[in-house]
Amino acid sequence: MDKIAFGGGCHWCTEAVFQALKGVLKVEQGFVASTNYDSSYSEAVIVHFNLKDIALSDLIQIHLYTHKSTSNHSMRIKYRSAIYYFSEAQQTQIQLLLSQFQVDFDNKLITKIIPFVQFKASDIQFQNYYKNNPNKPFCETYIHPKLKLLQEKFSKHLTDN
């Protein structure tokens, strides 16, 4: 089992996106800290996956399309657009993949490639938020459109349930 961590928008949304994918074995929702300027905790998920079932490149591409990976805004400390790596080899692979994916976007990708340092899990009542609350207004407004985009653009990677 491999792992990678992603930060983007709200971790409820990010969790729901990755829980919908084949090959993803577990998604830990919470807050991730890195180093230096990025040492504060930011909403993120750790994705545990099987490389035989889904490639890191697919996970990264899905991440880039399911959050605002090209726009800065005032909440970027809390909602850092990031891919947190766990090894130098992973860092190198992510850098190459981001440069390859850049051609698919009109604006420059702002997603940071930074080391994973620490994780704090969300409170239990927020874990599996979408699975437990699919009809809440937040889910209908923010998560449903992301899942619809997954269905339209990445359907081959979706689980059957």
Side-chain angles (χ1 to χ4, degrees), residues 119-153:
F119 177 75
K120 281 193 312 192
S122 298
D123 290 338
I124 193 73
Q125 77 250 21
F126 300 119
Q127 303 280 332
N128 297 303
Y129 190 80
Y130 180 74
K131 285 184 175 185
N132 295 330
N133 304 284
N135 298 316
K136 289 235 178 179
F138 180 90
C139 295
E140 291 178 350
T141 302
Y142 297 104
I143 299 175
H144 285 178
K146 293 174 189 297
L147 297 178
K148 183 177 180 198
L149 182 139
L150 277 180
Q151 184 63 45
E152 293 167 358
K153 194 164 182 65

PDB file of all heavy atoms in Angstrom, residues 119-153:
ATOM      1  N   PHE A 119       0.384  15.124  10.922  1.00  0.00           N
ATOM      2  CA  PHE A 119      -1.041  14.962  10.628  1.00  0.00           C
ATOM      3  C   PHE A 119      -1.825  14.969  11.925  1.00  0.00           C
ATOM      4  O   PHE A 119      -1.411  14.357  12.914  1.00  0.00           O
ATOM      5  CB  PHE A 119      -1.276  13.630   9.899  1.00  0.00           C
ATOM      6  CG  PHE A 119      -2.713  13.338   9.608  1.00  0.00           C
ATOM      7  CD1 PHE A 119      -3.386  13.993   8.589  1.00  0.00           C
ATOM      8  CD2 PHE A 119      -3.406  12.399  10.359  1.00  0.00           C
ATOM      9  CE1 PHE A 119      -4.725  13.717   8.322  1.00  0.00           C
ATOM     10  CE2 PHE A 119      -4.741  12.113  10.100  1.00  0.00           C
ATOM     11  CZ  PHE A 119      -5.392  12.781   9.073  1.00  0.00           C
ATOM     12  N   LYS A 120      -2.948  15.668  11.914  1.00  0.00           N
ATOM     13  CA  LYS A 120      -3.925  15.623  13.009  1.00  0.00           C
ATOM     14  C   LYS A 120      -5.253  15.234  12.384  1.00  0.00           C
ATOM     15  O   LYS A 120      -5.734  15.894  11.474  1.00  0.00           O
ATOM     16  CB  LYS A 120      -4.108  17.011  13.659  1.00  0.00           C
ATOM     17  CG  LYS A 120      -3.057  17.414  14.626  1.00  0.00           C
ATOM     18  CD  LYS A 120      -3.444  18.634  15.457  1.00  0.00           C
ATOM     19  CE  LYS A 120      -3.993  19.788  14.653  1.00  0.00           C
ATOM     20  NZ  LYS A 120      -4.097  21.039  15.400  1.00  0.00           N
ATOM     21  N   ALA A 121      -5.854  14.173  12.856  1.00  0.00           N
ATOM     22  CA  ALA A 121      -7.138  13.715  12.329  1.00  0.00           C
ATOM     23  C   ALA A 121      -8.248  14.683  12.725  1.00  0.00           C
ATOM     24  O   ALA A 121      -8.196  15.307  13.790  1.00  0.00           O
ATOM     25  CB  ALA A 121      -7.461  12.325  12.852  1.00  0.00           C
ATOM     26  N   SER A 122      -9.254  14.783  11.884  1.00  0.00           N
ATOM     27  CA  SER A 122     -10.448  15.558  12.205  1.00  0.00           C
ATOM     28  C   SER A 122     -11.197  14.886  13.340  1.00  0.00           C
ATOM     29  O   SER A 122     -11.046  13.678  13.563  1.00  0.00           O
ATOM     30  CB  SER A 122     -11.387  15.626  10.994  1.00  0.00           C
ATOM     31  OG  SER A 122     -10.784  16.274   9.922  1.00  0.00           O
ATOM     32  N   ASP A 123     -12.042  15.653  14.016  1.00  0.00           N
ATOM     33  CA  ASP A 123     -12.911  15.067  15.035  1.00  0.00           C
ATOM     34  C   ASP A 123     -13.757  13.972  14.395  1.00  0.00           C
ATOM     35  O   ASP A 123     -14.147  14.076  13.228  1.00  0.00           O
ATOM     36  CB  ASP A 123     -13.830  16.125  15.647  1.00  0.00           C
ATOM     37  CG  ASP A 123     -13.080  17.117  16.520  1.00  0.00           C
ATOM     38  OD1 ASP A 123     -11.969  16.793  16.992  1.00  0.00           O
ATOM     39  OD2 ASP A 123     -13.609  18.229  16.728  1.00  0.00           O
ATOM     40  N   ILE A 124     -14.073  12.959  15.154  1.00  0.00           N
ATOM     41  CA  ILE A 124     -14.788  11.786  14.651  1.00  0.00           C
ATOM     42  C   ILE A 124     -16.112  12.151  13.976  1.00  0.00           C
ATOM     43  O   ILE A 124     -16.495  11.538  12.987  1.00  0.00           O
ATOM     44  CB  ILE A 124     -14.981  10.711  15.757  1.00  0.00           C
ATOM     45  CG1 ILE A 124     -15.420   9.384  15.151  1.00  0.00           C
ATOM     46  CG2 ILE A 124     -15.952  11.180  16.826  1.00  0.00           C
ATOM     47  CD1 ILE A 124     -14.350   8.658  14.415  1.00  0.00           C
ATOM     48  N   GLN A 125     -16.812  13.189  14.461  1.00  0.00           N
ATOM     49  CA  GLN A 125     -18.098  13.541  13.864  1.00  0.00           C
ATOM     50  C   GLN A 125     -17.957  14.089  12.437  1.00  0.00           C
ATOM     51  O   GLN A 125     -18.928  14.160  11.704  1.00  0.00           O
ATOM     52  CB  GLN A 125     -18.882  14.537  14.737  1.00  0.00           C
ATOM     53  CG  GLN A 125     -18.396  15.957  14.665  1.00  0.00           C
ATOM     54  CD  GLN A 125     -17.723  16.423  15.941  1.00  0.00           C
ATOM     55  OE1 GLN A 125     -17.273  15.614  16.740  1.00  0.00           O
ATOM     56  NE2 GLN A 125     -17.672  17.702  16.128  1.00  0.00           N
ATOM     57  N   PHE A 126     -16.724  14.473  12.038  1.00  0.00           N
ATOM     58  CA  PHE A 126     -16.504  14.982  10.689  1.00  0.00           C
ATOM     59  C   PHE A 126     -15.888  13.957   9.750  1.00  0.00           C
ATOM     60  O   PHE A 126     -15.804  14.191   8.549  1.00  0.00           O
ATOM     61  CB  PHE A 126     -15.618  16.239  10.734  1.00  0.00           C
ATOM     62  CG  PHE A 126     -16.224  17.349  11.538  1.00  0.00           C
ATOM     63  CD1 PHE A 126     -15.576  17.841  12.656  1.00  0.00           C
ATOM     64  CD2 PHE A 126     -17.451  17.892  11.201  1.00  0.00           C
ATOM     65  CE1 PHE A 126     -16.137  18.854  13.411  1.00  0.00           C
ATOM     66  CE2 PHE A 126     -18.024  18.897  11.949  1.00  0.00           C
ATOM     67  CZ  PHE A 126     -17.359  19.387  13.059  1.00  0.00           C
ATOM     68  N   GLN A 127     -15.471  12.820  10.279  1.00  0.00           N
ATOM     69  CA  GLN A 127     -14.910  11.754   9.450  1.00  0.00           C
ATOM     70  C   GLN A 127     -16.014  11.181   8.560  1.00  0.00           C
ATOM     71  O   GLN A 127     -17.162  11.084   8.976  1.00  0.00           O
ATOM     72  CB  GLN A 127     -14.341  10.648  10.335  1.00  0.00           C
ATOM     73  CG  GLN A 127     -13.289  11.101  11.310  1.00  0.00           C
ATOM     74  CD  GLN A 127     -11.920  11.252  10.685  1.00  0.00           C
ATOM     75  OE1 GLN A 127     -11.594  10.579   9.713  1.00  0.00           O
ATOM     76  NE2 GLN A 127     -11.118  12.137  11.230  1.00  0.00           N
ATOM     77  N   ASN A 128     -15.676  10.826   7.343  1.00  0.00           N
ATOM     78  CA  ASN A 128     -16.651  10.267   6.387  1.00  0.00           C
ATOM     79  C   ASN A 128     -17.850  11.196   6.237  1.00  0.00           C
ATOM     80  O   ASN A 128     -18.991  10.743   6.153  1.00  0.00           O
ATOM     81  CB  ASN A 128     -17.095   8.870   6.828  1.00  0.00           C
ATOM     82  CG  ASN A 128     -15.943   7.904   6.849  1.00  0.00           C
ATOM     83  OD1 ASN A 128     -15.271   7.696   5.848  1.00  0.00           O
ATOM     84  ND2 ASN A 128     -15.683   7.333   8.011  1.00  0.00           N
ATOM     85  N   TYR A 129     -17.575  12.472   6.176  1.00  0.00           N
ATOM     86  CA  TYR A 129     -18.645  13.468   6.211  1.00  0.00           C
ATOM     87  C   TYR A 129     -19.673  13.264   5.094  1.00  0.00           C
ATOM     88  O   TYR A 129     -20.868  13.227   5.345  1.00  0.00           O
ATOM     89  CB  TYR A 129     -18.073  14.889   6.142  1.00  0.00           C
ATOM     90  CG  TYR A 129     -19.132  15.921   6.415  1.00  0.00           C
ATOM     91  CD1 TYR A 129     -19.506  16.200   7.726  1.00  0.00           C
ATOM     92  CD2 TYR A 129     -19.799  16.572   5.385  1.00  0.00           C
ATOM     93  CE1 TYR A 129     -20.506  17.114   8.000  1.00  0.00           C
ATOM     94  CE2 TYR A 129     -20.800  17.488   5.651  1.00  0.00           C
ATOM     95  CZ  TYR A 129     -21.142  17.755   6.963  1.00  0.00           C
ATOM     96  OH  TYR A 129     -22.144  18.648   7.238  1.00  0.00           O
ATOM     97  N   TYR A 130     -19.210  13.109   3.877  1.00  0.00           N
ATOM     98  CA  TYR A 130     -20.152  12.952   2.766  1.00  0.00           C
ATOM     99  C   TYR A 130     -20.932  11.641   2.872  1.00  0.00           C
ATOM    100  O   TYR A 130     -22.144  11.627   2.665  1.00  0.00           O
ATOM    101  CB  TYR A 130     -19.429  13.017   1.415  1.00  0.00           C
ATOM    102  CG  TYR A 130     -20.379  12.849   0.266  1.00  0.00           C
ATOM    103  CD1 TYR A 130     -21.238  13.878  -0.101  1.00  0.00           C
ATOM    104  CD2 TYR A 130     -20.454  11.658  -0.440  1.00  0.00           C
ATOM    105  CE1 TYR A 130     -22.143  13.722  -1.142  1.00  0.00           C
ATOM    106  CE2 TYR A 130     -21.346  11.490  -1.478  1.00  0.00           C
ATOM    107  CZ  TYR A 130     -22.190  12.526  -1.825  1.00  0.00           C
ATOM    108  OH  TYR A 130     -23.090  12.365  -2.847  1.00  0.00           O
ATOM    109  N   LYS A 131     -20.247  10.563   3.197  1.00  0.00           N
ATOM    110  CA  LYS A 131     -20.933   9.264   3.320  1.00  0.00           C
ATOM    111  C   LYS A 131     -22.040   9.314   4.366  1.00  0.00           C
ATOM    112  O   LYS A 131     -23.068   8.679   4.220  1.00  0.00           O
ATOM    113  CB  LYS A 131     -19.933   8.164   3.672  1.00  0.00           C
ATOM    114  CG  LYS A 131     -19.069   7.752   2.511  1.00  0.00           C
ATOM    115  CD  LYS A 131     -18.163   6.600   2.884  1.00  0.00           C
ATOM    116  CE  LYS A 131     -17.394   6.144   1.665  1.00  0.00           C
ATOM    117  NZ  LYS A 131     -16.587   4.959   1.929  1.00  0.00           N
ATOM    118  N   ASN A 132     -21.831  10.092   5.432  1.00  0.00           N
ATOM    119  CA  ASN A 132     -22.813  10.197   6.506  1.00  0.00           C
ATOM    120  C   ASN A 132     -23.851  11.296   6.292  1.00  0.00           C
ATOM    121  O   ASN A 132     -24.884  11.297   6.968  1.00  0.00           O
ATOM    122  CB  ASN A 132     -22.101  10.436   7.843  1.00  0.00           C
ATOM    123  CG  ASN A 132     -21.241   9.260   8.252  1.00  0.00           C
ATOM    124  OD1 ASN A 132     -21.539   8.122   7.920  1.00  0.00           O
ATOM    125  ND2 ASN A 132     -20.153   9.538   8.951  1.00  0.00           N
ATOM    126  N   ASN A 133     -23.597  12.219   5.380  1.00  0.00           N
ATOM    127  CA  ASN A 133     -24.472  13.398   5.214  1.00  0.00           C
ATOM    128  C   ASN A 133     -24.674  13.797   3.756  1.00  0.00           C
ATOM    129  O   ASN A 133     -24.602  14.980   3.426  1.00  0.00           O
ATOM    130  CB  ASN A 133     -23.850  14.607   5.952  1.00  0.00           C
ATOM    131  CG  ASN A 133     -23.576  14.343   7.394  1.00  0.00           C
ATOM    132  OD1 ASN A 133     -24.476  14.330   8.211  1.00  0.00           O
ATOM    133  ND2 ASN A 133     -22.303  14.123   7.723  1.00  0.00           N
ATOM    134  N   PRO A 134     -24.933  12.884   2.842  1.00  0.00           N
ATOM    135  CA  PRO A 134     -24.960  13.243   1.417  1.00  0.00           C
ATOM    136  C   PRO A 134     -26.022  14.274   1.033  1.00  0.00           C
ATOM    137  O   PRO A 134     -25.878  14.954   0.012  1.00  0.00           O
ATOM    138  CB  PRO A 134     -25.210  11.913   0.709  1.00  0.00           C
ATOM    139  CG  PRO A 134     -25.891  11.067   1.731  1.00  0.00           C
ATOM    140  CD  PRO A 134     -25.302  11.482   3.052  1.00  0.00           C
ATOM    141  N   ASN A 135     -27.061  14.412   1.828  1.00  0.00           N
ATOM    142  CA  ASN A 135     -28.136  15.342   1.477  1.00  0.00           C
ATOM    143  C   ASN A 135     -28.066  16.675   2.216  1.00  0.00           C
ATOM    144  O   ASN A 135     -28.964  17.500   2.072  1.00  0.00           O
ATOM    145  CB  ASN A 135     -29.494  14.673   1.713  1.00  0.00           C
ATOM    146  CG  ASN A 135     -29.653  13.450   0.829  1.00  0.00           C
ATOM    147  OD1 ASN A 135     -29.319  13.477  -0.354  1.00  0.00           O
ATOM    148  ND2 ASN A 135     -30.117  12.359   1.398  1.00  0.00           N
ATOM    149  N   LYS A 136     -27.016  16.885   2.988  1.00  0.00           N
ATOM    150  CA  LYS A 136     -26.856  18.183   3.660  1.00  0.00           C
ATOM    151  C   LYS A 136     -26.577  19.250   2.600  1.00  0.00           C
ATOM    152  O   LYS A 136     -25.977  18.969   1.559  1.00  0.00           O
ATOM    153  CB  LYS A 136     -25.698  18.128   4.659  1.00  0.00           C
ATOM    154  CG  LYS A 136     -26.019  17.295   5.870  1.00  0.00           C
ATOM    155  CD  LYS A 136     -25.802  18.094   7.108  1.00  0.00           C
ATOM    156  CE  LYS A 136     -26.192  17.239   8.305  1.00  0.00           C
ATOM    157  NZ  LYS A 136     -26.007  17.883   9.541  1.00  0.00           N
ATOM    158  N   PRO A 137     -27.020  20.482   2.845  1.00  0.00           N
ATOM    159  CA  PRO A 137     -26.802  21.555   1.867  1.00  0.00           C
ATOM    160  C   PRO A 137     -25.333  21.722   1.459  1.00  0.00           C
ATOM    161  O   PRO A 137     -25.043  21.948   0.283  1.00  0.00           O
ATOM    162  CB  PRO A 137     -27.330  22.799   2.579  1.00  0.00           C
ATOM    163  CG  PRO A 137     -28.360  22.263   3.526  1.00  0.00           C
ATOM    164  CD  PRO A 137     -27.843  20.927   3.975  1.00  0.00           C
ATOM    165  N   PHE A 138     -24.393  21.607   2.408  1.00  0.00           N
ATOM    166  CA  PHE A 138     -22.973  21.727   2.061  1.00  0.00           C
ATOM    167  C   PHE A 138     -22.590  20.691   1.013  1.00  0.00           C
ATOM    168  O   PHE A 138     -21.921  20.995   0.030  1.00  0.00           O
ATOM    169  CB  PHE A 138     -22.076  21.573   3.298  1.00  0.00           C
ATOM    170  CG  PHE A 138     -20.615  21.693   2.968  1.00  0.00           C
ATOM    171  CD1 PHE A 138     -19.988  22.928   3.005  1.00  0.00           C
ATOM    172  CD2 PHE A 138     -19.869  20.580   2.585  1.00  0.00           C
ATOM    173  CE1 PHE A 138     -18.642  23.051   2.669  1.00  0.00           C
ATOM    174  CE2 PHE A 138     -18.534  20.693   2.253  1.00  0.00           C
ATOM    175  CZ  PHE A 138     -17.918  21.932   2.294  1.00  0.00           C
ATOM    176  N   CYS A 139     -23.005  19.459   1.222  1.00  0.00           N
ATOM    177  CA  CYS A 139     -22.670  18.373   0.299  1.00  0.00           C
ATOM    178  C   CYS A 139     -23.298  18.604  -1.071  1.00  0.00           C
ATOM    179  O   CYS A 139     -22.649  18.409  -2.104  1.00  0.00           O
ATOM    180  CB  CYS A 139     -23.110  17.033   0.875  1.00  0.00           C
ATOM    181  SG  CYS A 139     -22.228  16.581   2.379  1.00  0.00           S
ATOM    182  N   GLU A 140     -24.558  19.014  -1.080  1.00  0.00           N
ATOM    183  CA  GLU A 140     -25.227  19.271  -2.359  1.00  0.00           C
ATOM    184  C   GLU A 140     -24.571  20.420  -3.118  1.00  0.00           C
ATOM    185  O   GLU A 140     -24.456  20.378  -4.337  1.00  0.00           O
ATOM    186  CB  GLU A 140     -26.708  19.545  -2.118  1.00  0.00           C
ATOM    187  CG  GLU A 140     -27.454  18.304  -1.659  1.00  0.00           C
ATOM    188  CD  GLU A 140     -28.923  18.541  -1.367  1.00  0.00           C
ATOM    189  OE1 GLU A 140     -29.361  19.704  -1.323  1.00  0.00           O
ATOM    190  OE2 GLU A 140     -29.627  17.531  -1.159  1.00  0.00           O
ATOM    191  N   THR A 141     -24.123  21.428  -2.390  1.00  0.00           N
ATOM    192  CA  THR A 141     -23.534  22.609  -3.027  1.00  0.00           C
ATOM    193  C   THR A 141     -22.097  22.374  -3.476  1.00  0.00           C
ATOM    194  O   THR A 141     -21.716  22.790  -4.571  1.00  0.00           O
ATOM    195  CB  THR A 141     -23.579  23.812  -2.057  1.00  0.00           C
ATOM    196  OG1 THR A 141     -24.945  24.044  -1.698  1.00  0.00           O
ATOM    197  CG2 THR A 141     -22.985  25.062  -2.683  1.00  0.00           C
ATOM    198  N   TYR A 142     -21.279  21.738  -2.649  1.00  0.00           N
ATOM    199  CA  TYR A 142     -19.847  21.660  -2.927  1.00  0.00           C
ATOM    200  C   TYR A 142     -19.334  20.284  -3.339  1.00  0.00           C
ATOM    201  O   TYR A 142     -18.434  20.191  -4.171  1.00  0.00           O
ATOM    202  CB  TYR A 142     -19.052  22.142  -1.701  1.00  0.00           C
ATOM    203  CG  TYR A 142     -19.317  23.583  -1.384  1.00  0.00           C
ATOM    204  CD1 TYR A 142     -20.128  23.942  -0.314  1.00  0.00           C
ATOM    205  CD2 TYR A 142     -18.785  24.599  -2.167  1.00  0.00           C
ATOM    206  CE1 TYR A 142     -20.388  25.263  -0.025  1.00  0.00           C
ATOM    207  CE2 TYR A 142     -19.041  25.931  -1.892  1.00  0.00           C
ATOM    208  CZ  TYR A 142     -19.843  26.256  -0.821  1.00  0.00           C
ATOM    209  OH  TYR A 142     -20.109  27.567  -0.554  1.00  0.00           O
ATOM    210  N   ILE A 143     -19.882  19.235  -2.752  1.00  0.00           N
ATOM    211  CA  ILE A 143     -19.343  17.906  -3.045  1.00  0.00           C
ATOM    212  C   ILE A 143     -20.003  17.284  -4.271  1.00  0.00           C
ATOM    213  O   ILE A 143     -19.321  16.697  -5.114  1.00  0.00           O
ATOM    214  CB  ILE A 143     -19.443  16.984  -1.805  1.00  0.00           C
ATOM    215  CG1 ILE A 143     -18.613  17.589  -0.653  1.00  0.00           C
ATOM    216  CG2 ILE A 143     -18.957  15.576  -2.144  1.00  0.00           C
ATOM    217  CD1 ILE A 143     -18.709  16.845   0.661  1.00  0.00           C
ATOM    218  N   HIS A 144     -21.305  17.414  -4.404  1.00  0.00           N
ATOM    219  CA  HIS A 144     -21.985  16.828  -5.572  1.00  0.00           C
ATOM    220  C   HIS A 144     -21.361  17.273  -6.897  1.00  0.00           C
ATOM    221  O   HIS A 144     -21.152  16.424  -7.778  1.00  0.00           O
ATOM    222  CB  HIS A 144     -23.479  17.141  -5.545  1.00  0.00           C
ATOM    223  CG  HIS A 144     -24.245  16.342  -4.543  1.00  0.00           C
ATOM    224  ND1 HIS A 144     -25.592  16.499  -4.345  1.00  0.00           N
ATOM    225  CD2 HIS A 144     -23.876  15.369  -3.675  1.00  0.00           C
ATOM    226  CE1 HIS A 144     -26.006  15.683  -3.404  1.00  0.00           C
ATOM    227  NE2 HIS A 144     -24.981  14.993  -2.974  1.00  0.00           N
ATOM    228  N   PRO A 145     -21.053  18.573  -7.095  1.00  0.00           N
ATOM    229  CA  PRO A 145     -20.424  18.965  -8.368  1.00  0.00           C
ATOM    230  C   PRO A 145     -19.063  18.296  -8.605  1.00  0.00           C
ATOM    231  O   PRO A 145     -18.733  17.952  -9.741  1.00  0.00           O
ATOM    232  CB  PRO A 145     -20.268  20.487  -8.235  1.00  0.00           C
ATOM    233  CG  PRO A 145     -21.315  20.889  -7.248  1.00  0.00           C
ATOM    234  CD  PRO A 145     -21.406  19.742  -6.281  1.00  0.00           C
ATOM    235  N   LYS A 146     -18.299  18.075  -7.552  1.00  0.00           N
ATOM    236  CA  LYS A 146     -17.005  17.405  -7.704  1.00  0.00           C
ATOM    237  C   LYS A 146     -17.205  15.939  -8.102  1.00  0.00           C
ATOM    238  O   LYS A 146     -16.486  15.411  -8.958  1.00  0.00           O
ATOM    239  CB  LYS A 146     -16.194  17.507  -6.410  1.00  0.00           C
ATOM    240  CG  LYS A 146     -15.758  18.931  -6.093  1.00  0.00           C
ATOM    241  CD  LYS A 146     -15.085  19.002  -4.742  1.00  0.00           C
ATOM    242  CE  LYS A 146     -14.831  20.407  -4.286  1.00  0.00           C
ATOM    243  NZ  LYS A 146     -13.933  21.184  -5.085  1.00  0.00           N
ATOM    244  N   LEU A 147     -18.186  15.297  -7.497  1.00  0.00           N
ATOM    245  CA  LEU A 147     -18.464  13.902  -7.841  1.00  0.00           C
ATOM    246  C   LEU A 147     -19.042  13.792  -9.247  1.00  0.00           C
ATOM    247  O   LEU A 147     -18.764  12.820  -9.967  1.00  0.00           O
ATOM    248  CB  LEU A 147     -19.390  13.278  -6.803  1.00  0.00           C
ATOM    249  CG  LEU A 147     -18.808  13.196  -5.383  1.00  0.00           C
ATOM    250  CD1 LEU A 147     -19.827  12.607  -4.419  1.00  0.00           C
ATOM    251  CD2 LEU A 147     -17.495  12.434  -5.343  1.00  0.00           C
ATOM    252  N   LYS A 148     -19.800  14.779  -9.657  1.00  0.00           N
ATOM    253  CA  LYS A 148     -20.317  14.805 -11.029  1.00  0.00           C
ATOM    254  C   LYS A 148     -19.161  14.955 -12.027  1.00  0.00           C
ATOM    255  O   LYS A 148     -19.127  14.274 -13.052  1.00  0.00           O
ATOM    256  CB  LYS A 148     -21.317  15.950 -11.200  1.00  0.00           C
ATOM    257  CG  LYS A 148     -21.950  15.987 -12.558  1.00  0.00           C
ATOM    258  CD  LYS A 148     -22.974  17.077 -12.686  1.00  0.00           C
ATOM    259  CE  LYS A 148     -23.553  17.024 -14.085  1.00  0.00           C
ATOM    260  NZ  LYS A 148     -24.233  18.224 -14.474  1.00  0.00           N
ATOM    261  N   LEU A 149     -18.198  15.811 -11.711  1.00  0.00           N
ATOM    262  CA  LEU A 149     -17.023  15.970 -12.565  1.00  0.00           C
ATOM    263  C   LEU A 149     -16.246  14.653 -12.648  1.00  0.00           C
ATOM    264  O   LEU A 149     -15.792  14.265 -13.733  1.00  0.00           O
ATOM    265  CB  LEU A 149     -16.118  17.081 -12.024  1.00  0.00           C
ATOM    266  CG  LEU A 149     -14.885  17.353 -12.862  1.00  0.00           C
ATOM    267  CD1 LEU A 149     -14.635  18.852 -12.964  1.00  0.00           C
ATOM    268  CD2 LEU A 149     -13.664  16.660 -12.309  1.00  0.00           C
ATOM    269  N   LEU A 150     -16.127  13.955 -11.525  1.00  0.00           N
ATOM    270  CA  LEU A 150     -15.465  12.645 -11.530  1.00  0.00           C
ATOM    271  C   LEU A 150     -16.179  11.692 -12.484  1.00  0.00           C
ATOM    272  O   LEU A 150     -15.539  10.972 -13.250  1.00  0.00           O
ATOM    273  CB  LEU A 150     -15.470  12.027 -10.131  1.00  0.00           C
ATOM    274  CG  LEU A 150     -14.407  12.440  -9.143  1.00  0.00           C
ATOM    275  CD1 LEU A 150     -14.620  11.705  -7.820  1.00  0.00           C
ATOM    276  CD2 LEU A 150     -13.021  12.182  -9.662  1.00  0.00           C
ATOM    277  N   GLN A 151     -17.512  11.684 -12.411  1.00  0.00           N
ATOM    278  CA  GLN A 151     -18.300  10.797 -13.267  1.00  0.00           C
ATOM    279  C   GLN A 151     -18.081  11.139 -14.743  1.00  0.00           C
ATOM    280  O   GLN A 151     -17.934  10.241 -15.575  1.00  0.00           O
ATOM    281  CB  GLN A 151     -19.786  10.906 -12.908  1.00  0.00           C
ATOM    282  CG  GLN A 151     -20.671   9.962 -13.675  1.00  0.00           C
ATOM    283  CD  GLN A 151     -20.366   8.509 -13.389  1.00  0.00           C
ATOM    284  OE1 GLN A 151     -20.195   8.096 -12.250  1.00  0.00           O
ATOM    285  NE2 GLN A 151     -20.291   7.694 -14.427  1.00  0.00           N
ATOM    286  N   GLU A 152     -18.037  12.417 -15.049  1.00  0.00           N
ATOM    287  CA  GLU A 152     -17.892  12.847 -16.448  1.00  0.00           C
ATOM    288  C   GLU A 152     -16.477  12.653 -16.981  1.00  0.00           C
ATOM    289  O   GLU A 152     -16.296  12.266 -18.134  1.00  0.00           O
ATOM    290  CB  GLU A 152     -18.285  14.323 -16.575  1.00  0.00           C
ATOM    291  CG  GLU A 152     -19.754  14.576 -16.322  1.00  0.00           C
ATOM    292  CD  GLU A 152     -20.103  16.046 -16.146  1.00  0.00           C
ATOM    293  OE1 GLU A 152     -19.203  16.910 -16.184  1.00  0.00           O
ATOM    294  OE2 GLU A 152     -21.304  16.327 -15.951  1.00  0.00           O
ATOM    295  N   LYS A 153     -15.471  12.928 -16.181  1.00  0.00           N
ATOM    296  CA  LYS A 153     -14.096  12.976 -16.670  1.00  0.00           C
ATOM    297  C   LYS A 153     -13.247  11.760 -16.278  1.00  0.00           C
ATOM    298  O   LYS A 153     -12.304  11.423 -16.972  1.00  0.00           O
ATOM    299  CB  LYS A 153     -13.431  14.252 -16.162  1.00  0.00           C
ATOM    300  CG  LYS A 153     -12.139  14.612 -16.829  1.00  0.00           C
ATOM    301  CD  LYS A 153     -11.767  16.043 -16.539  1.00  0.00           C
ATOM    302  CE  LYS A 153     -10.513  16.458 -17.229  1.00  0.00           C
ATOM    303  NZ  LYS A 153     -10.573  16.481 -18.675  1.00  0.00           N
TER     304      LYS A 153
END
